Amino acid sequence: MFRETAKHRYRVVLLSIAFLGMAWNCRESAGAMNSNKKIKQEIDKMVSKMTLEEKISMVHANTLFTTAAIERLDIPGLCMSDGPHGVREEQKPDDFSPTGLSTDASTYLPTLTALAATWNPDMSYCFGKVLGSEARARGKDVILGPAINIMRTPLCGRNFEYMGEDPYLTSKMVVPYIKGVQENDVAACVKHFALNNQEYKRHSADVQCSERALREIYLPGFKAAVQEGGVLTLMAAYNLFRGQHCCQNEYLLNEILKKEWGFSGAVISDWGGVYNTKEAALNGMDIEMGTKVPNGVRNDFENYFLAKPFLNEIRQGALPESVLDDKVKRILYVMHKINMFDKNRKPGAFNTPDHQKTALDVAQEAIVLLKNDKGLLPIAADVKSIAVIGENAAMEQAHGGGSSNIKAKYEITPLEALQKKLNGRVTLNVAQGYSFQDDASVQKLIDEAVEAAKKSDIVIVFGGLNHQFETEGRDRKDMKLPYHQDKLIRAVAEANPKTIVVLICGSPVEVYQWVDAVGAVVQGWYAGMEAGTAMVNVLFGDVNPSGKLPFTFPVRLEDSPVDVYGDYLGDNEGNIVEYREDILVGYRYYDTKKVAPQFCFGHGLSYTQFEYDKLKISPAQIKAGRQTVVSLEVKNVGNSFGAEVVQLYINAPESSVIRPEKELKGFAKVFLKPGQKNTVRFVIDESHLSFYDESKKQWTAENGIFNVLIGSSSRDIRLKGGLEFNDKTAK
């Protein structure tokens, strides 16, 4: 169904490229027309002066992270760096080993699940500004982030790099990140396009999903990055989609990205993601990086698929030079937009106090209070002794996780932060509790932890995962806590019921074995260089937690939709992975199928309380092209300053197709003093009510009543109202 004859596809793709070439002149907004007209003229002039060989040199790597310069024409090469949450340390030109510099330690920002947990686009913008500024200071032109693949399964090894399970939240958080980066004359690179939702068999998994799931779940973040964020580069994924690798996928790269969305920038391959010269050339790949050529030598850059083989195809007339010209123009466009030809290009800054403060601010807003029975948190000022248990209390997390690993300027662990804050005034009874290196001493470590718990007023267990489990290139086998942590936590809680568990991880873990036995549970994430400071500030009440979960914690792995529908790995002929759950991803599944989660999407407690009131929808009836305003009043009725994330969900009680029980369509984070109230407003239009109609190949809102649900989480709905959509042109 998805395969055509080679001859027919060749003709179709050439027509697509011709269309894209014409569209290149007119896809920019009216406000930027004069500037972009001048840029285009400059680009045309540059291209006219280039030899064929010089053009080819621009569309493939000449080291692991750079492309060649054309010195004769004063055209620089592109210098790229990994770094969704910090600029990676410098690496050798032909392998991934570090150069050993002493000047390349970066600001280590929280990972992107933590950023998403802030539910604060302003934080995302600040995050991007730091990243862009540091990339410029390090001489980088492209920072390879943000990563925004949807969390389809709890087991994906790179979930910690992404922004959770919801396309709307992802879309609203990715745009300011990109703008913050690119304000610094650095191109952001949104990745991995598309459907890279597992690491297992990531080079061979062939994803099959409905067009509706593609459009409603897996593409919205990328579309927002392109059309709202103006992202300048995009990285295609390793996996296949409908039988064709994403790095040479005609439908994704040419039809959707470049033609439908009007993407003006350059597409970069994931490292080693290209497999065929003609397909890559015709199907939208602009810069090939990291290929292992047939002789197995990664640094044989001249024999990349878009190097000598591409050159030979053009010389022999098998491919038109116009295909190459389009790629070169796109690359030059990126260079112009980030001012690579401007002597006054922004210089950037590196590891400044302001950058470190942003790392702290994001970490503090990201922390999620999952459970707090009997007010165990914040920790009372008169506490005399605290048991600090768990290897994650003293473990640094920056240097791990694959391509997202960071050489941090510093990293404050929870134990260090506790020692600094308490300064000997409170006794800290420290016990390792578990070990990721020594499986033979399990009971001894648990016994030591129990003794520490018995002689302490309260207990803090720092558990969770680490980057041996959450990392690029492999997925977790299950959702269980490793290193016998369940046994440890049960034993410690039995010895001292005033036990707080802090989870350091970027994905859901099973906690049902002990969650009822402990007093409080906190989600701490991989929270960057100030992780310990942020956590201690929250635990002691200096900062009121305001994070909300960007994904669902299922009770058990077998409750998750991918496990229920039984197609995750692709262990079959052809490595086909069918997305049988379709649009029912994350809370859409749990709420629609009435499956109780451990902690729901959007959940997060506070040390204060918020009251919702006075819901108003005006007008209560809209039609196509019109808007309505949903407003409500939120009041802090507790005793401390705090922030609440007000969430708006839409429910379609009647529909010609299956709709999820509810879908997030708006959120706002409000900061309130005790007794203070604020009016929150959301603007709703036809797009918020629509689904993707596969028969019409377009978004459709059906006439009828829609429920507007306002809540503190997907399962804590505080206010309900009705909205009627009536498009008089609908049949």
mmCIF file of all heavy atoms in Angstrom, residues 342-385:
data_model
loop_
_atom_site.group_PDB
_atom_site.id
_atom_site.type_symbol
_atom_site.label_atom_id
_atom_site.label_comp_id
_atom_site.label_asym_id
_atom_site.label_seq_id
_atom_site.Cartn_x
_atom_site.Cartn_y
_atom_site.Cartn_z
ATOM 1 N N ASP A 342 27.884 37.602 9.863
ATOM 2 C CA ASP A 342 27.860 38.916 10.507
ATOM 3 C C ASP A 342 28.981 38.994 11.534
ATOM 4 O O ASP A 342 29.046 38.177 12.456
ATOM 5 C CB ASP A 342 26.494 39.127 11.180
ATOM 6 C CG ASP A 342 26.306 40.542 11.703
ATOM 7 O OD1 ASP A 342 27.314 41.248 11.912
ATOM 8 O OD2 ASP A 342 25.144 40.928 11.921
ATOM 9 N N LYS A 343 29.848 39.980 11.385
ATOM 10 C CA LYS A 343 30.973 40.117 12.326
ATOM 11 C C LYS A 343 30.496 40.474 13.729
ATOM 12 O O LYS A 343 31.237 40.337 14.702
ATOM 13 C CB LYS A 343 31.963 41.163 11.823
ATOM 14 C CG LYS A 343 31.406 42.575 11.729
ATOM 15 C CD LYS A 343 32.452 43.546 11.204
ATOM 16 C CE LYS A 343 31.892 44.963 11.115
ATOM 17 N NZ LYS A 343 32.919 45.918 10.598
ATOM 18 N N ASN A 344 29.247 40.962 13.831
ATOM 19 C CA ASN A 344 28.687 41.327 15.140
ATOM 20 C C ASN A 344 27.794 40.229 15.712
ATOM 21 O O ASN A 344 26.934 40.499 16.542
ATOM 22 C CB ASN A 344 27.895 42.624 15.018
ATOM 23 C CG ASN A 344 28.771 43.802 14.644
ATOM 24 O OD1 ASN A 344 29.872 43.958 15.181
ATOM 25 N ND2 ASN A 344 28.300 44.628 13.720
ATOM 26 N N ARG A 345 27.993 39.011 15.266
ATOM 27 C CA ARG A 345 27.224 37.886 15.798
ATOM 28 C C ARG A 345 27.373 37.818 17.314
ATOM 29 O O ARG A 345 28.451 38.084 17.871
ATOM 30 C CB ARG A 345 27.726 36.589 15.165
ATOM 31 C CG ARG A 345 26.883 35.374 15.450
ATOM 32 C CD ARG A 345 27.506 34.155 14.797
ATOM 33 N NE ARG A 345 26.686 32.976 14.986
ATOM 34 C CZ ARG A 345 27.099 31.733 14.722
ATOM 35 N NH1 ARG A 345 28.321 31.527 14.250
ATOM 36 N NH2 ARG A 345 26.288 30.700 14.922
ATOM 37 N N LYS A 346 26.300 37.476 17.989
ATOM 38 C CA LYS A 346 26.317 37.446 19.452
ATOM 39 C C LYS A 346 27.403 36.499 19.957
ATOM 40 O O LYS A 346 27.558 35.388 19.433
ATOM 41 C CB LYS A 346 24.952 37.030 19.986
ATOM 42 C CG LYS A 346 23.870 38.069 19.730
ATOM 43 C CD LYS A 346 22.518 37.623 20.244
ATOM 44 C CE LYS A 346 21.455 38.672 19.943
ATOM 45 N NZ LYS A 346 20.102 38.241 20.373
ATOM 46 N N PRO A 347 28.129 36.897 20.997
ATOM 47 C CA PRO A 347 29.250 36.077 21.470
ATOM 48 C C PRO A 347 28.851 34.962 22.427
ATOM 49 O O PRO A 347 29.592 33.992 22.597
ATOM 50 C CB PRO A 347 30.148 37.094 22.176
ATOM 51 C CG PRO A 347 29.185 38.127 22.689
ATOM 52 C CD PRO A 347 28.086 38.215 21.668
ATOM 53 N N GLY A 348 27.713 35.111 23.089
ATOM 54 C CA GLY A 348 27.307 34.118 24.082
ATOM 55 C C GLY A 348 28.035 34.315 25.401
ATOM 56 O O GLY A 348 28.896 35.187 25.556
ATOM 57 N N ALA A 349 27.676 33.503 26.357
ATOM 58 C CA ALA A 349 28.304 33.528 27.688
ATOM 59 C C ALA A 349 28.291 32.114 28.237
ATOM 60 O O ALA A 349 27.456 31.290 27.845
ATOM 61 C CB ALA A 349 27.562 34.481 28.619
ATOM 62 N N PHE A 350 29.212 31.862 29.154
ATOM 63 C CA PHE A 350 29.414 30.479 29.575
ATOM 64 C C PHE A 350 29.446 30.347 31.087
ATOM 65 O O PHE A 350 30.235 31.018 31.758
ATOM 66 C CB PHE A 350 30.724 29.955 28.974
ATOM 67 C CG PHE A 350 30.840 28.467 28.955
ATOM 68 C CD1 PHE A 350 29.911 27.693 28.287
ATOM 69 C CD2 PHE A 350 31.879 27.835 29.614
ATOM 70 C CE1 PHE A 350 30.015 26.316 28.266
ATOM 71 C CE2 PHE A 350 31.994 26.462 29.592
ATOM 72 C CZ PHE A 350 31.061 25.700 28.918
ATOM 73 N N ASN A 351 28.545 29.505 31.603
ATOM 74 C CA ASN A 351 28.536 29.171 33.025
ATOM 75 C C ASN A 351 28.515 30.389 33.934
ATOM 76 O O ASN A 351 29.260 30.465 34.919
ATOM 77 C CB ASN A 351 29.735 28.274 33.365
ATOM 78 C CG ASN A 351 29.279 26.912 33.839
ATOM 79 O OD1 ASN A 351 28.328 26.810 34.625
ATOM 80 N ND2 ASN A 351 29.921 25.879 33.356
ATOM 81 N N THR A 352 27.646 31.320 33.617
ATOM 82 C CA THR A 352 27.526 32.526 34.425
ATOM 83 C C THR A 352 26.644 32.252 35.647
ATOM 84 O O THR A 352 25.867 31.287 35.670
ATOM 85 C CB THR A 352 26.895 33.655 33.607
ATOM 86 O OG1 THR A 352 25.537 33.299 33.307
ATOM 87 C CG2 THR A 352 27.661 33.891 32.307
ATOM 88 N N PRO A 353 26.716 33.114 36.656
ATOM 89 C CA PRO A 353 25.793 32.970 37.797
ATOM 90 C C PRO A 353 24.325 32.989 37.380
ATOM 91 O O PRO A 353 23.504 32.269 37.953
ATOM 92 C CB PRO A 353 26.156 34.170 38.682
ATOM 93 C CG PRO A 353 27.591 34.436 38.380
ATOM 94 C CD PRO A 353 27.735 34.145 36.913
ATOM 95 N N ASP A 354 23.990 33.800 36.368
ATOM 96 C CA ASP A 354 22.605 33.829 35.895
ATOM 97 C C ASP A 354 22.197 32.484 35.304
ATOM 98 O O ASP A 354 21.060 32.032 35.490
ATOM 99 C CB ASP A 354 22.429 34.925 34.847
ATOM 100 C CG ASP A 354 22.314 36.312 35.465
ATOM 101 O OD1 ASP A 354 22.119 36.393 36.687
ATOM 102 O OD2 ASP A 354 22.429 37.298 34.716
ATOM 103 N N HIS A 355 23.095 31.851 34.572
ATOM 104 C CA HIS A 355 22.801 30.538 34.003
ATOM 105 C C HIS A 355 22.595 29.504 35.103
ATOM 106 O O HIS A 355 21.688 28.665 35.022
ATOM 107 C CB HIS A 355 23.936 30.092 33.078
ATOM 108 C CG HIS A 355 24.039 30.905 31.837
ATOM 109 N ND1 HIS A 355 24.963 30.646 30.843
ATOM 110 C CD2 HIS A 355 23.332 31.992 31.405
ATOM 111 C CE1 HIS A 355 24.819 31.521 29.861
ATOM 112 N NE2 HIS A 355 23.843 32.355 30.191
ATOM 113 N N GLN A 356 23.425 29.567 36.112
ATOM 114 C CA GLN A 356 23.294 28.623 37.226
ATOM 115 C C GLN A 356 22.005 28.871 38.004
ATOM 116 O O GLN A 356 21.363 27.921 38.471
ATOM 117 C CB GLN A 356 24.526 28.738 38.131
ATOM 118 C CG GLN A 356 25.797 28.274 37.434
ATOM 119 C CD GLN A 356 27.064 28.879 37.991
ATOM 120 O OE1 GLN A 356 27.060 29.493 39.069
ATOM 121 N NE2 GLN A 356 28.166 28.718 37.269
ATOM 122 N N LYS A 357 21.612 30.135 38.094
ATOM 123 C CA LYS A 357 20.335 30.443 38.754
ATOM 124 C C LYS A 357 19.164 29.873 37.957
ATOM 125 O O LYS A 357 18.192 29.366 38.541
ATOM 126 C CB LYS A 357 20.167 31.950 38.929
ATOM 127 C CG LYS A 357 18.874 32.336 39.656
ATOM 128 C CD LYS A 357 18.744 33.835 39.830
ATOM 129 C CE LYS A 357 17.480 34.179 40.628
ATOM 130 N NZ LYS A 357 16.247 33.680 40.001
ATOM 131 N N THR A 358 19.231 29.965 36.619
ATOM 132 C CA THR A 358 18.170 29.378 35.804
ATOM 133 C C THR A 358 18.086 27.879 36.032
ATOM 134 O O THR A 358 16.984 27.318 36.135
ATOM 135 C CB THR A 358 18.412 29.671 34.310
ATOM 136 O OG1 THR A 358 18.320 31.085 34.099
ATOM 137 C CG2 THR A 358 17.383 28.970 33.435
ATOM 138 N N ALA A 359 19.233 27.220 36.116
ATOM 139 C CA ALA A 359 19.234 25.782 36.404
ATOM 140 C C ALA A 359 18.531 25.490 37.724
ATOM 141 O O ALA A 359 17.747 24.533 37.833
ATOM 142 C CB ALA A 359 20.669 25.250 36.437
ATOM 143 N N LEU A 360 18.771 26.324 38.723
ATOM 144 C CA LEU A 360 18.112 26.159 40.019
ATOM 145 C C LEU A 360 16.624 26.448 39.924
ATOM 146 O O LEU A 360 15.788 25.691 40.450
ATOM 147 C CB LEU A 360 18.768 27.075 41.054
ATOM 148 C CG LEU A 360 18.125 27.101 42.448
ATOM 149 C CD1 LEU A 360 18.172 25.723 43.103
ATOM 150 C CD2 LEU A 360 18.808 28.146 43.337
ATOM 151 N N ASP A 361 16.257 27.526 39.256
ATOM 152 C CA ASP A 361 14.842 27.901 39.146
ATOM 153 C C ASP A 361 14.030 26.800 38.464
ATOM 154 O O ASP A 361 12.924 26.458 38.904
ATOM 155 C CB ASP A 361 14.705 29.199 38.354
ATOM 156 C CG ASP A 361 15.229 30.415 39.112
ATOM 157 O OD1 ASP A 361 15.408 30.317 40.342
ATOM 158 O OD2 ASP A 361 15.468 31.451 38.457
ATOM 159 N N VAL A 362 14.564 26.269 37.357
ATOM 160 C CA VAL A 362 13.854 25.203 36.651
ATOM 161 C C VAL A 362 13.712 23.980 37.540
ATOM 162 O O VAL A 362 12.641 23.367 37.632
ATOM 163 C CB VAL A 362 14.569 24.839 35.332
ATOM 164 C CG1 VAL A 362 13.896 23.634 34.670
ATOM 165 C CG2 VAL A 362 14.572 26.028 34.378
ATOM 166 N N ALA A 363 14.798 23.605 38.211
ATOM 167 C CA ALA A 363 14.767 22.418 39.070
ATOM 168 C C ALA A 363 13.728 22.563 40.174
ATOM 169 O O ALA A 363 12.991 21.610 40.475
ATOM 170 C CB ALA A 363 16.153 22.177 39.671
ATOM 171 N N GLN A 364 13.653 23.743 40.772
ATOM 172 C CA GLN A 364 12.698 23.947 41.870
ATOM 173 C C GLN A 364 11.259 23.889 41.380
ATOM 174 O O GLN A 364 10.403 23.304 42.049
ATOM 175 C CB GLN A 364 12.992 25.288 42.552
ATOM 176 C CG GLN A 364 14.285 25.254 43.357
ATOM 177 C CD GLN A 364 14.658 26.575 44.010
ATOM 178 O OE1 GLN A 364 15.442 26.614 44.947
ATOM 179 N NE2 GLN A 364 14.115 27.673 43.519
ATOM 180 N N GLU A 365 10.991 24.466 40.222
ATOM 181 C CA GLU A 365 9.618 24.424 39.691
ATOM 182 C C GLU A 365 9.245 23.049 39.164
ATOM 183 O O GLU A 365 8.068 22.743 38.989
ATOM 184 C CB GLU A 365 9.438 25.469 38.591
ATOM 185 C CG GLU A 365 9.181 26.861 39.128
ATOM 186 C CD GLU A 365 8.475 27.751 38.114
ATOM 187 O OE1 GLU A 365 7.583 27.265 37.392
ATOM 188 O OE2 GLU A 365 8.820 28.943 38.056
ATOM 189 N N ALA A 366 10.247 22.216 38.879
ATOM 190 C CA ALA A 366 9.979 20.900 38.303
ATOM 191 C C ALA A 366 9.596 19.861 39.343
ATOM 192 O O ALA A 366 8.898 18.890 39.030
ATOM 193 C CB ALA A 366 11.210 20.413 37.543
ATOM 194 N N ILE A 367 10.051 20.017 40.568
ATOM 195 C CA ILE A 367 9.844 18.992 41.591
ATOM 196 C C ILE A 367 8.352 18.798 41.851
ATOM 197 O O ILE A 367 7.602 19.759 42.034
ATOM 198 C CB ILE A 367 10.588 19.372 42.882
ATOM 199 C CG1 ILE A 367 12.104 19.278 42.639
ATOM 200 C CG2 ILE A 367 10.174 18.466 44.049
ATOM 201 C CD1 ILE A 367 12.943 19.875 43.740
ATOM 202 N N VAL A 368 7.930 17.544 41.841
ATOM 203 C CA VAL A 368 6.515 17.203 42.003
ATOM 204 C C VAL A 368 6.309 16.498 43.340
ATOM 205 O O VAL A 368 6.939 15.469 43.622
ATOM 206 C CB VAL A 368 6.028 16.289 40.860
ATOM 207 C CG1 VAL A 368 4.535 16.001 41.015
ATOM 208 C CG2 VAL A 368 6.311 16.914 39.498
ATOM 209 N N LEU A 369 5.427 17.051 44.136
ATOM 210 C CA LEU A 369 5.029 16.408 45.397
ATOM 211 C C LEU A 369 3.902 15.433 45.076
ATOM 212 O O LEU A 369 2.770 15.840 44.802
ATOM 213 C CB LEU A 369 4.578 17.471 46.405
ATOM 214 C CG LEU A 369 4.144 16.972 47.786
ATOM 215 C CD1 LEU A 369 5.262 16.190 48.475
ATOM 216 C CD2 LEU A 369 3.700 18.144 48.657
ATOM 217 N N LEU A 370 4.213 14.151 45.094
ATOM 218 C CA LEU A 370 3.253 13.121 44.700
ATOM 219 C C LEU A 370 2.332 12.702 45.842
ATOM 220 O O LEU A 370 1.161 12.397 45.631
ATOM 221 C CB LEU A 370 3.998 11.895 44.168
ATOM 222 C CG LEU A 370 4.825 12.100 42.891
ATOM 223 C CD1 LEU A 370 5.617 10.842 42.565
ATOM 224 C CD2 LEU A 370 3.930 12.478 41.731
ATOM 225 N N LYS A 371 2.876 12.669 47.039
ATOM 226 C CA LYS A 371 2.099 12.238 48.205
ATOM 227 C C LYS A 371 2.636 12.968 49.425
ATOM 228 O O LYS A 371 3.850 13.164 49.555
ATOM 229 C CB LYS A 371 2.237 10.721 48.404
ATOM 230 C CG LYS A 371 1.555 10.194 49.650
ATOM 231 C CD LYS A 371 1.785 8.697 49.846
ATOM 232 C CE LYS A 371 1.156 8.246 51.164
ATOM 233 N NZ LYS A 371 1.329 6.791 51.405
ATOM 234 N N ASN A 372 1.731 13.353 50.343
ATOM 235 C CA ASN A 372 2.170 14.035 51.568
ATOM 236 C C ASN A 372 1.163 13.788 52.676
ATOM 237 O O ASN A 372 0.377 14.658 53.038
ATOM 238 C CB ASN A 372 2.338 15.535 51.314
ATOM 239 C CG ASN A 372 3.030 16.237 52.461
ATOM 240 O OD1 ASN A 372 3.766 15.620 53.225
ATOM 241 N ND2 ASN A 372 2.811 17.536 52.579
ATOM 242 N N ASP A 373 1.173 12.589 53.214
ATOM 243 C CA ASP A 373 0.242 12.221 54.273
ATOM 244 C C ASP A 373 0.613 12.906 55.585
ATOM 245 O O ASP A 373 1.786 12.954 55.973
ATOM 246 C CB ASP A 373 0.251 10.702 54.484
ATOM 247 C CG ASP A 373 -0.521 9.982 53.395
ATOM 248 O OD1 ASP A 373 -1.022 10.656 52.477
ATOM 249 O OD2 ASP A 373 -0.595 8.737 53.451
ATOM 250 N N LYS A 374 -0.413 13.418 56.248
ATOM 251 C CA LYS A 374 -0.286 13.974 57.593
ATOM 252 C C LYS A 374 0.740 15.103 57.667
ATOM 253 O O LYS A 374 1.376 15.323 58.703
ATOM 254 C CB LYS A 374 0.070 12.870 58.598
ATOM 255 C CG LYS A 374 -0.977 11.764 58.657
ATOM 256 C CD LYS A 374 -0.549 10.638 59.572
ATOM 257 C CE LYS A 374 -1.575 9.512 59.574
ATOM 258 N NZ LYS A 374 -1.146 8.359 60.407
ATOM 259 N N GLY A 375 0.922 15.796 56.546
ATOM 260 C CA GLY A 375 1.797 16.963 56.563
ATOM 261 C C GLY A 375 3.233 16.668 56.919
ATOM 262 O O GLY A 375 3.901 17.489 57.572
ATOM 263 N N LEU A 376 3.741 15.519 56.514
ATOM 264 C CA LEU A 376 5.126 15.180 56.829
ATOM 265 C C LEU A 376 6.094 16.187 56.205
ATOM 266 O O LEU A 376 7.152 16.473 56.751
ATOM 267 C CB LEU A 376 5.432 13.762 56.343
ATOM 268 C CG LEU A 376 6.797 13.178 56.691
ATOM 269 C CD1 LEU A 376 7.038 13.204 58.191
ATOM 270 C CD2 LEU A 376 6.912 11.753 56.165
ATOM 271 N N LEU A 377 5.701 16.722 55.073
ATOM 272 C CA LEU A 377 6.475 17.780 54.425
ATOM 273 C C LEU A 377 5.685 19.085 54.489
ATOM 274 O O LEU A 377 4.457 19.071 54.417
ATOM 275 C CB LEU A 377 6.767 17.410 52.968
ATOM 276 C CG LEU A 377 7.763 16.281 52.744
ATOM 277 C CD1 LEU A 377 7.851 15.924 51.269
ATOM 278 C CD2 LEU A 377 9.150 16.660 53.267
ATOM 279 N N PRO A 378 6.350 20.228 54.598
ATOM 280 C CA PRO A 378 7.799 20.379 54.705
ATOM 281 C C PRO A 378 8.337 19.902 56.047
ATOM 282 O O PRO A 378 7.597 19.859 57.036
ATOM 283 C CB PRO A 378 8.002 21.879 54.517
ATOM 284 C CG PRO A 378 6.716 22.499 54.991
ATOM 285 C CD PRO A 378 5.652 21.529 54.595
ATOM 286 N N ILE A 379 9.612 19.583 56.069
ATOM 287 C CA ILE A 379 10.255 19.072 57.284
ATOM 288 C C ILE A 379 10.238 20.150 58.360
ATOM 289 O O ILE A 379 10.574 21.310 58.112
ATOM 290 C CB ILE A 379 11.692 18.625 56.973
ATOM 291 C CG1 ILE A 379 11.666 17.440 55.999
ATOM 292 C CG2 ILE A 379 12.439 18.265 58.247
ATOM 293 C CD1 ILE A 379 13.029 17.048 55.459
ATOM 294 N N ALA A 380 9.838 19.765 59.539
ATOM 295 C CA ALA A 380 9.700 20.714 60.648
ATOM 296 C C ALA A 380 11.052 21.300 61.045
ATOM 297 O O ALA A 380 12.096 20.632 60.970
ATOM 298 C CB ALA A 380 9.058 20.027 61.846
ATOM 299 N N ALA A 381 11.021 22.548 61.498
ATOM 300 C CA ALA A 381 12.256 23.250 61.857
ATOM 301 C C ALA A 381 12.925 22.664 63.086
ATOM 302 O O ALA A 381 14.136 22.823 63.280
ATOM 303 C CB ALA A 381 11.944 24.726 62.091
ATOM 304 N N ASP A 382 12.130 21.959 63.937
ATOM 305 C CA ASP A 382 12.696 21.447 65.185
ATOM 306 C C ASP A 382 13.203 20.012 65.081
ATOM 307 O O ASP A 382 13.508 19.380 66.084
ATOM 308 C CB ASP A 382 11.664 21.536 66.312
ATOM 309 C CG ASP A 382 10.402 20.728 66.005
ATOM 310 O OD1 ASP A 382 10.282 20.214 64.868
ATOM 311 O OD2 ASP A 382 9.542 20.619 66.906
ATOM 312 N N VAL A 383 13.306 19.477 63.860
ATOM 313 C CA VAL A 383 13.801 18.118 63.706
ATOM 314 C C VAL A 383 15.248 18.050 64.199
ATOM 315 O O VAL A 383 16.046 18.958 63.972
ATOM 316 C CB VAL A 383 13.676 17.656 62.233
ATOM 317 C CG1 VAL A 383 14.608 18.452 61.314
ATOM 318 C CG2 VAL A 383 13.951 16.180 62.098
ATOM 319 N N LYS A 384 15.579 16.966 64.889
ATOM 320 C CA LYS A 384 16.912 16.823 65.491
ATOM 321 C C LYS A 384 17.818 15.880 64.706
ATOM 322 O O LYS A 384 19.044 16.024 64.740
ATOM 323 C CB LYS A 384 16.782 16.317 66.928
ATOM 324 C CG LYS A 384 15.939 17.187 67.833
ATOM 325 C CD LYS A 384 16.522 18.584 67.986
ATOM 326 C CE LYS A 384 15.697 19.415 68.970
ATOM 327 N NZ LYS A 384 16.180 20.821 69.013
ATOM 328 N N SER A 385 17.203 14.898 64.024
ATOM 329 C CA SER A 385 18.029 13.913 63.319
ATOM 330 C C SER A 385 17.290 13.420 62.078
ATOM 331 O O SER A 385 16.075 13.251 62.092
ATOM 332 C CB SER A 385 18.368 12.739 64.225
ATOM 333 O OG SER A 385 17.198 12.116 64.717
#
